[in-house]
């Protein structure tokens, strides 16, 4: 892998941050969460990379108190094959001893014996609060050990300050300050797998299912899974239903049946309560539905299934990014730095003071105890607020008489290749559009269907059950509008289309540009137009993430896991795997990071035969240790001459006698089946946001009895940029695009490449100028309708 030459600039590289002479301990505590192992692996490898000694503390704080074999030095190989394992390999335990001063004194003694003064704690708020107390008491604990003659003066001086960095591992996503905690996305995967399975049986029998999901104090899992599966009703602790909810719910369920909907799904968080603080249980709901409506009703309690299973791609990447960031934070910590927690905001890793986050988390509970539920929702953070707002928008179909009537017609279409999550976005757009008083028209088969007049009005009930469907139910084609502008304009006239929502990939972006540029000749295109990025390749300018890419990466990672597993028990083996993505290396790079690849070849980072040779030698060295497997990913268009066959033959020849090779072309499997929870949620939220933008823009551009919008900012792409969702004029994004290779000129994920190389034991440059300066938890946020952070 070629390392890009260093430019003369202001960037800060971590080569200057050395871990020589430092010892770092890593432990997992409290409830387990999928992805914890990825975080442990990243801490160990990054620690060793910078020259520090790294120790595992087995069995959480209990292991730290007991000492002995519980604290072991970690090696590079000891975290091999850990990334895809659920739970925590180093064990976790609830520990009463550590809550006592005596227990903490024993723990301090065990750490000082090994000169460990840097600690990385992966757990929930209880575990992190304990770590902070330990840090505050540290110097008095050392004094006590000195008085007891257990350590000498020299040990006190050399271990005088304890540095702590936390990472939140909790499936409930109940920690303030981060959009996503490690394990939440995987728990959503388990829930959605169950809901999808239940839906098929419920449809067969016309059943109502009541599902209980985890979340004693936080309704995040229930709320997002309700959004992701289009549940009929959801109960969460932060939003107790108003008195008389029983009548409302039963009325809605019977209405749905009257509309010939064959199944109902009701999701309940463990901690759900009514407005009088009385628990709402699944059995109570079941009895209610049976006694009032006579529906065949079943209860399913998911329980510990949600904690189990292999971590999702998102959790592996999140854990890897956080683990590396945690080591950097420890290296940069000074005696005055407060204990911090590594968080994710939007798409960025940030560092926040641990106690500020803990205090805010406790304030949520206090607000709920005092029945200040709006306050609790606000304290939970923007991600939670937006999920709730979107759920409310989509949850209830008002009667036609109650709807506002704007008399605007909005057309929705898919353009380009299918991407999982498109259908959820269409459903959300249709329902929000109808709720805002518009008539919504569905266009079949993209712009090809548009110019042929395949346009018909689509109603609320027509999109029921769409969120879980893969592909594109509207039909999608790659046809660009350019050659058919007259016919498309004519159809816009015939159907009186006042706004367009285009959901798709690079072709959708090019299409919107063509329509925008045709405004001078065709007045019909002087209407609000918005595009949502939906492509597995994630190659659209103006957004960090696209609908469909997460599902695709999960498909790649699942396959890589299976392929790697097929080699366990056989002789040493290297797999060469080719991914899709055109010229964009996103799938290969992020898939490689999540699957633990050794090398990833992409178009954006040119490589030559010397790099290939260096990579083969690197793998050969690795295979001489206890590591049995190698994984090499290649993006389909990374190089015309170094094909998958060429790389396979080169590795086979050079590795002869040390390892053998196998080759896999993943192909269309990457377009991926059922959409992941992330893609369902992301698509649902951004489509709702786009439809609200369309409503605002229609009102602003309605003059003299008609809509006329021809300014740059009325043809936009809604994308996620770092921490915010932003509407950007496509005319501006044109300059940011390499049209020949169909990729943005600058791509954020290239910053993940050095991370992947470090975790695969390559020496590389890592730009840390972006990484966390310590920030503060924001409390009251200004209400801003244009930029929002998105969950995950």
């Amino acid at each position: 892998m070629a390392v890009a030459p260093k430019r003369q600039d202001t960037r800060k590289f971590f080569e200057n941050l050395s871990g020589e002479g430092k010892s770092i301990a890593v432990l997992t505590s409290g409830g387990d969460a999928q992805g914890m192992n990825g975080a442990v692996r990243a801490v160990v490898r990054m620690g060793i990379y910078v020259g520090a000694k790294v120790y595992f503390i087995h069995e959480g704080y209990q292991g730290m108190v007991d000492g002995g074999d519980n604290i072991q030095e970690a090696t590079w190989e000891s975290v091999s094959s850990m990334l895809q394992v659920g739970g925590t390999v180093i064990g976790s335990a609830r520990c009463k001893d550590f809550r006592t001063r005596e227990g903490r004194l024993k723990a301090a003694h065990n750490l000082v014996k090994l000169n460990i003064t840097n600690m990385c704690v992966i757990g929930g708020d209880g575990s992190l609060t304990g770590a902070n107390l330990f840090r505050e008491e540290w110097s008095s604990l050392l004094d006590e050990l000195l008085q007891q003659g257990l350590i000498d003066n020299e040990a006190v001086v050399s271990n005088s300050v304890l540095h702590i960095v936390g990472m939140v591992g909790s499936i409930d996503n109940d920690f303030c300050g981060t959009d996503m905690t490690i394990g939440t996305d995987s728990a959503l995967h388990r829930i959605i797998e169950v809901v999808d399975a239940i839906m098929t049986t419920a449809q067969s029998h016309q059943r109502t299912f009541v599902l209980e999901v985890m979340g004693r104090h936080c309704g995040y899992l229930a709320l997002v899974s309700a959004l992701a599966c289009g549940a009929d009703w959801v109960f969460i602790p932060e939003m107790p239903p108003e008195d008389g909810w029983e009548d409302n719910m039963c009325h809605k369920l019977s209405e749905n049946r009257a509309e010939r909907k064959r199944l109902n799904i009701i999701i309940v968080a463990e901690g759900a309560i009514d407005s009088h603080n009385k628990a709402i249980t699944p059995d109570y709901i079941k009895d209610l539905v049976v006694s009032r409506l006579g529906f065949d009703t079943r209860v399913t309690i998911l329980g510990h299934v949600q904690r189990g299973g292999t971590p999702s791609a998102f959790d592996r990447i999140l854990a890897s990014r956080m683990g590396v960031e945690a080591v950097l934070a420890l290296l940069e910590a000074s005696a005055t730095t407060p204990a911090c927690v590594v968080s994710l905001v939007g798409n960025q890793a940030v560092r926040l003071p641990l106690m500020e986050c803990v205090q805010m988390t406790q304030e949520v509970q206090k607000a709920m105890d005092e029945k200040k539920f709006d306050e609790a929702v606000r304290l939970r953070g923007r991600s939670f607020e937006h999920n709730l707002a979107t759920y409310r928008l989509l949850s209830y179909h008002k009667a036609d008489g109650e709807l506002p009537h704007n008399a605007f017609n909005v057309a929705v279409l898919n353009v380009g290749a299918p991407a999982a999550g498109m259908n959820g976005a269409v459903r959300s757009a249709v329902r929000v559009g109808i709720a805002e008083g518009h008539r919504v028209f569905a266009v079949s088969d993209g712009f090809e269907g548009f110019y042929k007049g395949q346009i018909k009005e689509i109603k609320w009930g027509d999109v029921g059950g769409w969120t879980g469907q893969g592909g594109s139910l509207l039909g999608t084609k790659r046809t660009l509008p350019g050659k058919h502008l007259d016919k498309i304009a004519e159809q816009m006239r015939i159907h009186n289309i006042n706004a367009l929502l285009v959901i798709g990939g690079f072709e959708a972006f090019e299409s919107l540009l063509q329509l925008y540029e045709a405004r001078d000749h065709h007045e019909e295109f002087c209407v609000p137009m918005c595009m949502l990025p939906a492509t597995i390749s994630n190659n659209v300018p103006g957004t960090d993430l696209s609908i469909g890419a997460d599902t695709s990466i999960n498909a790649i990672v699942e396959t890589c896991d299976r392929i790697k597993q097929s080699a366990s028990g056989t002789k040493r083996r290297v797999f060469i795997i080719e991914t899709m993505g055109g010229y964009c290396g996103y799938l290969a790079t992020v898939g490689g990071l999540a699957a633990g690849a050794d090398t990833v070849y992409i178009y954006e980072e040119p490589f030559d035969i010397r790099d290939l040779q260096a990579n083969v030698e690197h793998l050969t060295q690795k295979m001489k240790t206890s590591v049995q497997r190698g994984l090499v990913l290649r993006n389909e268009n990374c190089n015309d001459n170094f094909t998958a066959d060429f790389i396979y033959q080169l590795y086979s020849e050079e590795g002869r006698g040390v390892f053998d090779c196998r080759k896999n072309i993943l192909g269309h499997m990457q377009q991926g089946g059922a959409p992941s929870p992330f893609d369902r949620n992301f698509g649902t939220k951004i489509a709702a946001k786009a439809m609200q933008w369309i409503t605002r823009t229609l009102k602003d551009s309605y003059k003299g009895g008609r809509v006329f919008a021809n300014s740059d900012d009325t043809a936009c792409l809604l994308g996620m940029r770092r921490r915010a969702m932003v509407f950007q004029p496509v005319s501006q994004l044109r300059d940011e695009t390499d049209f020949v290779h169909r990729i943005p000129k600058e791509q954020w994920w290239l910053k993940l490449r050095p991370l992947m190389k470090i975790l695969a034991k390559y020496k590389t440059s890592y730009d840390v100028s972006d990484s966390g300066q310590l920030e503060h938890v924001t409390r009251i946020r200004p209400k801003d309708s244009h930029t929002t952070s998105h969950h995950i």
Side-chain angles (χ1 to χ4, degrees):
M1 276 191 230
V3 172
K6 284 195 205 172
R7 292 174 291 178
Q8 289 302 306
D9 59 19
T10 54
R11 289 186 301 169
K12 172 174 78 161
F13 290 95
F14 81 162
E15 282 85 320
N16 330 336
L17 293 174
S18 167
E20 287 297 334
K22 293 190 173 174
S23 293
I24 299 172
V26 58
L27 70 108
T28 53
S29 171
D32 63 315
Q34 309 96 316
M36 280 181 163
N37 291 324
V40 170
R41 170 181 177 266
V43 169
V44 168
R45 291 199 166 170
M46 185 67 170
I48 291 171
Y49 183 88
V50 296
K53 272 186 169 184
V54 187
Y55 291 88
F56 291 135
I57 298 180
H58 293 277
E59 309 307 333
Y61 286 123
Q62 193 64 54
M64 192 156 68
V65 173
D66 296 344
D69 289 346
N70 289 306
I71 306 178
Q72 285 176 339
E73 191 172 350
T75 63
W76 190 271
E77 287 84 31
S78 61
V79 291
S80 179
S81 299
M82 218 164 135
L83 192 57
Q84 63 268 35
V85 180
T88 163
V89 170
I90 58 173
S92 179
R94 311 265 178 205
C95 174
K96 285 191 183 135
D97 296 348
F98 193 72
R99 292 182 180 174
T100 65
R101 167 100 182 170
E102 195 184 341
R104 293 192 291 275
L105 192 69
K106 282 183 189 167
H109 188 205
N110 288 328
L111 294 186
V112 171
K113 281 186 213 167
L114 296 165
N115 289 316
I116 296 170
T117 54
N118 295 283
M119 235 169 72
C120 193
V121 180
I122 307 161
D125 58 343
S127 309
L128 298 180
T129 310
N132 192 63
L133 174 65
F134 190 44
R135 180 181 167 278
E136 285 171 353
E137 287 183 349
W138 184 253
S139 57
S140 69
L141 291 170
L142 292 191
D143 290 344
E144 204 171 316
L145 290 169
L146 181 67
Q147 281 162 16
Q148 292 180 15
L150 293 171
I151 59 172
D152 56 19
N153 265 320
E154 198 181 319
V156 174
V157 174
S158 60
N159 294 283
S160 59
V161 184
L162 178 68
H163 299 298
I164 282 177
V165 173
M167 283 182 268
V168 191
S170 155
I171 67 165
D172 292 338
N173 204 24
D174 56 354
F175 192 80
C176 293
T178 185
D179 282 359
M180 213 59 178
T181 57
I182 295 168
T184 305
D185 187 66
S186 301
L188 285 170
H189 272 258
R190 293 303 90 79
I191 295 168
I192 292 304
E193 280 160 20
V194 172
V195 174
D196 284 355
I198 277 176
M199 277 183 155
T200 54
T201 168
Q203 288 228 297
S204 309
H205 296 273
Q206 287 208 16
R207 276 194 178 139
T208 298
F209 267 89
V210 184
L211 260 81
E212 183 184 90
V213 300
M214 281 186 167
R216 202 160 301 144
H217 306 294
C218 176
Y220 186 89
L221 288 178
L223 177 58
V224 175
S225 48
L227 263 180
C229 72
D232 296 274
W233 207 270
V234 68
F235 293 95
I236 59 172
E238 294 87 347
M239 186 183 68
E242 290 168 8
D243 287 353
W245 63 267
E246 291 94 339
D247 298 335
N248 292 339
M249 184 185 77
C250 291
H251 176 64
K252 183 180 175 189
L253 295 180
S254 60
E255 256 187 6
N256 281 346
R257 278 293 160 91
E259 288 172 11
R260 304 237 289 281
K261 191 176 170 193
R262 294 182 61 87
L263 78 157
N264 303 109
I265 301 274
I266 299 165
I267 294 182
V268 194
E270 272 178 311
I273 46 170
D274 66 15
S275 52
H276 306 288
N277 263 13
K278 190 167 152 265
I280 296 176
T281 65
D283 286 330
Y284 177 70
I285 296 166
K286 176 193 164 178
D287 295 344
L288 189 72
V289 174
V290 172
S291 64
R292 294 219 189 163
L293 302 172
F295 289 175
D296 185 357
T297 306
R298 297 283 188 275
V299 169
T300 301
I301 293 175
L302 295 191
H304 280 71
V305 167
Q306 294 158 86
R307 287 195 187 281
T310 181
S312 66
F314 181 89
D315 271 330
R316 299 181 197 197
I317 295 152
L318 176 66
S320 302
R321 285 173 77 177
M322 283 186 167
V324 168
E325 184 69 30
V327 173
L328 291 176
L330 286 171
L331 294 183
E332 290 175 4
S334 67
T336 54
T337 319
C340 79
V341 63
V342 180
S343 291
L344 180 80
V345 178
N347 189 28
Q348 244 192 320
V350 297
R351 300 176 197 170
L352 298 167
L354 189 150
M355 285 322 286
E356 282 185 24
C357 297
V358 168
Q359 269 161 343
M360 194 140 157
T361 306
Q362 288 165 350
E363 274 178 40
V364 175
Q365 196 51 51
K366 187 164 164 260
M368 282 165 62
D369 293 343
E370 293 171 2
K371 298 193 181 181
K372 295 178 182 165
F373 295 105
D374 289 345
E375 169 90 350
V377 168
R378 212 190 68 251
L379 288 167
R380 278 257 182 258
R382 281 197 300 202
S383 157
F384 193 93
E385 271 184 295
H386 291 140
N387 280 313
L388 191 51
T390 309
Y391 179 79
R392 282 176 169 151
L393 265 178
L394 293 168
S395 65
Y396 197 56
H397 181 194
K398 296 190 178 106
D400 285 348
E402 299 171 45
L403 289 170
H405 270 294
N406 298 322
F408 290 124
N409 293 351
V410 182
V412 179
L413 66 159
N414 292 155
V415 176
M422 274 181 164
N423 298 322
V426 171
R427 167 187 176 268
S428 173
V430 167
R431 291 195 168 176
V432 173
I434 292 170
E436 306 244 310
H438 309 308
R439 289 177 70 199
V440 183
F441 289 80
V443 182
S444 303
D445 297 338
F447 282 104
E448 192 171 305
F450 211 132
Y451 81 79
K452 290 178 178 170
Q454 296 170 354
I455 303 166
K456 63 173 200 289
E457 188 172 355
I458 186 165
K459 298 284 207 228
W460 186 279
D462 297 339
V463 290
W466 277 32
T467 41
Q469 305 282 325
S472 162
L473 292 169
L474 285 183
T476 181
K477 290 269 169 74
R478 293 181 184 270
T479 313
L480 296 177
K483 291 177 183 164
H484 312 283
L485 290 170
D486 294 340
K487 286 182 176 172
I488 292 170
E490 188 188 346
Q491 291 296 336
M492 301 262 301
R493 247 192 336 274
I494 292 169
H495 292 92
N496 187 24
I497 301 296
N498 308 120
L500 276 185
L501 179 64
V502 183
I503 302 168
F506 202 86
E507 288 92 354
F509 171 62
E510 288 180 297
S511 299
L512 215 55
L513 262 177
Q514 289 181 354
L515 295 180
Y516 163 78
E517 285 161 2
R519 277 176 166 177
D520 292 347
H521 307 290
H522 296 87
E523 210 172 83
E524 292 82 356
F525 302 137
C526 294
V527 296
M529 299 191 276
C530 184
M531 177 204 155
L532 301 180
T535 161
I536 67 167
S537 306
N538 199 28
N539 62 332
V540 177
T543 189
D544 288 0
L545 300 167
S546 305
I547 300 166
D550 182 74
T551 305
S552 186
I553 284 170
N554 275 295
I556 291 169
V557 168
E558 237 169 81
T559 310
C560 288
D561 285 355
R562 285 181 190 174
I563 287 170
K564 277 162 74 175
Q565 199 171 18
S566 75
S568 60
T570 59
K571 53 185 187 290
R572 296 188 160 86
R573 188 163 280 174
V574 171
F575 294 93
I576 317 289
I577 295 176
E578 184 176 282
T579 68
M580 287 166 95
Y583 285 98
C584 178
Y586 177 81
L587 286 181
T589 297
V590 179
L593 180 60
D598 294 279
T599 311
V600 176
Y601 298 112
I602 61 169
Y603 164 76
E604 292 91 341
E605 199 172 277
F607 57 97
D608 57 24
I609 195 71
R610 286 179 294 281
D611 298 308
L612 284 165
Q613 188 183 354
N615 297 151
V616 175
E617 285 168 8
H618 185 271
L619 255 182
T620 310
Q621 288 308 312
K622 179 180 154 179
M623 288 290 178
K624 288 177 180 167
T625 68
S626 59
V627 177
Q628 300 274 313
R629 300 187 291 271
L631 191 60
V632 175
L633 266 61
R634 176 190 183 275
N635 160 249
E636 57 185 357
N637 289 353
C638 66
N639 189 297
D640 289 343
N641 296 314
F642 299 142
T643 59
D645 280 334
F646 178 91
I647 292 173
Y648 163 69
Q649 285 162 352
L650 176 81
Y651 273 76
S652 298
E653 182 56 39
E654 295 292 317
R656 198 184 292 276
V658 183
F659 59 79
D660 67 351
C661 270
R662 291 287 184 275
K663 175 184 82 181
N664 261 67
I665 312 286
L666 296 186
H668 278 73
M669 186 209 71
Q670 294 158 82
Q671 290 195 327
S676 68
F678 180 94
D679 279 331
R680 296 180 192 200
N681 189 13
F682 186 42
T684 299
K685 281 205 292 201
I686 69 169
K689 197 168 176 54
M691 201 45 98
Q692 290 172 314
W693 175 87
I694 283 174
T695 301
R696 279 199 309 273
T697 316
L698 277 169
K699 285 176 181 166
D700 293 346
S701 52
Y702 185 71
K703 292 185 183 71
R706 66 183 193 131
V707 173
F708 185 79
N710 70 342
S711 57
D712 288 0
D713 62 358
T714 57
C716 282
L717 178 148
L718 172 56
M720 183 184 177
R721 284 260 162 119
R722 290 165 79 92
R723 302 191 189 186
M725 295 293 305
V726 209
F727 289 96
Q728 303 148 96
V730 287
S731 55
Q732 281 176 20
L733 294 175
R734 192 170 33 198
D735 304 334
E736 296 180 23
T737 311
D738 168 354
F739 283 94
V740 176
H741 297 102
R742 300 160 60 87
I743 51 175
K745 289 176 183 169
E746 285 198 15
Q747 305 191 81
W748 70 273
W749 52 264
L750 287 166
K751 286 187 175 153
L752 297 178
R753 304 250 327 150
L755 194 89
M756 185 182 69
K757 292 173 189 178
I758 287 165
L759 296 175
K761 215 174 185 174
Y762 280 91
K763 288 286 175 205
T764 184
S765 264
Y766 186 40
D767 173 10
V768 295
S769 46
D770 215 20
S771 77
Q773 300 310 309
L774 197 65
E775 300 182 19
H776 290 284
V777 178
T778 45
R779 286 180 180 267
I780 308 296
R781 286 173 307 281
K783 289 269 181 233
D784 177 359
S785 60
H786 287 283
T787 57
T788 75
S789 165
H790 107 108
H791 114 91
I792 114 180

